[in-house]
Amino acid sequence: MFDPHLLNLSLEVETALRERRAVVALESTVIAHGLPRPQNLETARRLEEIVREGGATPATIAVIKGRLCVGLNDGQLVRLAEDKDVHKLSLRDLPIALARKWDGATTVSTTLWIASRARIQVFATGGIGGVHRGSLPDVSADLPELARTPMTVVCSGAKIVLDLPATREWLETHGVAVAGYECDELPAFYTRRSGLAVDVRADSPAEVAQLAQARDALGIESALLVAVPVPREFEVDEDLMRASLAESLDAAAREHVGGRELTPFLLARMSTRSGGATLRANIALLENNARVAALIARELSEAG
Ligand code: PSU
Ligand code: MN
């Protein structure tokens, strides 16, 4: 049984949850390992601001000295963004982080786990992890956690470095519904189209809320994935994207990069290769997803 005393809610988040106001969970691996300095700290602060502007309370999640923190202060954000010794915590690492009193950034899997125990209903991120390309089966812990957490997760699909068709199939097999937000195709992270269909289209926060409520009424325990395409003006040119991706995948294979290092390596390499275009897209989609998530969280909180 989970001991709720392990949760460390900020006063702001605790109050919002008690008063049943809208709360949006945000992950911290994107801050510590997904974006370069100084854009990582700027983005972390900006995402919280956007959630507030949307009328919801941001709850950035991380592990600080082994405590499961939901809602961080600015000093904690700075530590995550600037210190090199912050661990990247996948779910398997959580007991280790607790026992060893680590500081760690939470991936989608760990953020989902902690946010749902704090009774948060909506979570915004950039791109989820998934099935990696290549012959060795490398499947992100994000996927099984999505399959067993009844959360509304706002993202721009799975990161393009992954095998998107395989990731799409995995979600289907494990009962994770994918809604396209104002779109009919699963977005491909830095670009708006993947050629893969979503299960349903939702054209408003209210339509998303109805889907989440239907899932809850059925007692189904999997996440609802809400896929929001990167804003058009930040979409990365297809050819540039394909070239920088191919080069980055080659470099990872050549340098034997694997495990938890792989995703950050590929994202950083693509940003360099694309002259920063993928980084600008990543930040734009994170901001947009936070905005959409706040609207959905408000809709859900008003529906009670
Ligand atoms: N989305 C981004 N940048 C990131 C990530 C997602 O725009 O850095 C992170 C998320 O925290 C996700 C993790 O859970 O990458 C997946 O890592 P892996 O493939 O090692 O499971
Ligand atoms: Mn992996």
Side-chain angles (χ1 to χ4, degrees):
M1 265 286 276
F2 175 68
D3 177 0
H5 292 106
L6 293 173
L7 284 177
N8 215 40
L9 305 185
S10 71
L11 183 60
E12 187 193 9
V13 170
E14 193 191 338
T15 309
L17 288 169
R18 187 163 12 88
E19 296 176 355
R20 298 186 182 277
R21 287 190 277 114
V23 176
V24 174
L26 298 166
E27 58 143 318
S28 47
T29 291
V30 66
I31 307 170
H33 308 99
L35 299 171
R37 282 187 262 172
Q39 290 94 335
N40 58 349
L41 180 58
E42 288 162 16
T43 305
R45 288 174 172 153
R46 182 77 191 115
L47 295 181
E48 295 203 344
E49 202 173 279
I50 288 169
V51 170
R52 283 202 180 88
E53 284 164 6
T57 300
T60 305
I61 293 181
V63 176
I64 308 282
K65 299 203 178 359
R67 300 173 65 91
L68 314 185
C69 294
V70 182
L72 303 180
N73 60 40
D74 198 62
Q76 292 170 323
L77 283 186
V78 171
R79 160 120 181 76
L80 287 172
E82 294 186 348
D83 284 7
K84 288 214 176 65
D85 54 354
V86 172
H87 293 86
K88 173 180 168 183
L89 302 178
S90 186
L91 194 66
R92 71 170 192 275
D93 303 306
L94 198 52
I96 308 172
L98 188 75
R100 298 279 159 91
K101 302 202 178 349
W102 278 357
D103 284 344
T106 52
T107 60
V108 169
S109 64
T110 322
T111 308
L112 273 171
W113 196 92
I114 296 173
S116 72
R117 273 145 194 89
R119 301 188 186 284
I120 296 174
Q121 300 184 72
V122 180
F123 166 27
T125 182
I128 59 165
V131 181
H132 276 276
R133 299 170 192 240
S135 47
L136 179 75
D138 176 352
V139 179
S140 174
D142 293 357
L143 291 183
E145 218 39 46
L146 285 164
R148 60 180 171 232
T149 312
M151 178 83 61
T152 299
V153 179
V154 182
C155 64
S156 298
K159 287 186 293 285
I160 187 64
V161 302
L162 301 163
D163 181 335
L164 296 190
T167 302
R168 178 78 192 89
E169 289 297 332
W170 198 103
L171 293 168
E172 180 181 323
T173 303
H174 295 85
V176 179
V178 181
Y181 193 78
E182 297 175 339
C183 64
D184 302 292
E185 238 179 76
L186 188 65
F189 198 46
Y190 300 138
T191 63
R192 295 173 61 91
R193 306 189 56 182
S194 65
L196 301 165
V198 296
D199 298 312
V200 63
R201 178 185 171 116
D203 283 306
S204 66
E207 284 190 13
V208 174
Q210 284 161 7
L211 295 169
Q213 287 161 337
R215 185 260 330 264
D216 292 342
L218 290 164
I220 288 176
E221 299 270 279
S222 52
L224 170 66
L225 212 57
V226 181
V228 188
V230 60
R232 267 178 225 288
E233 59 276 33
F234 290 98
E235 185 174 27
V236 178
D237 173 78
E238 282 278 351
D239 292 337
L240 179 62
M241 212 273 304
R242 216 164 304 142
S244 52
L245 176 59
E247 197 284 330
S248 304
L249 290 168
D250 278 352
R254 214 169 43 235
E255 297 174 29
H256 305 289
V257 183
R260 73 175 89 242
E261 313 293 334
L262 183 57
T263 298
F265 175 91
L266 291 171
L267 296 182
R269 185 103 184 178
M270 284 188 77
S271 170
T272 310
R273 292 286 141 172
S274 67
T278 62
L279 176 60
R280 288 189 290 277
N282 202 346
I283 293 171
L285 66 87
L286 281 161
E287 293 184 354
N288 191 46
N289 295 350
R291 188 182 60 76
V292 172
L295 298 175
I296 295 169
R298 276 183 50 189
E299 197 67 43
L300 280 170
S301 77
E302 280 158 26

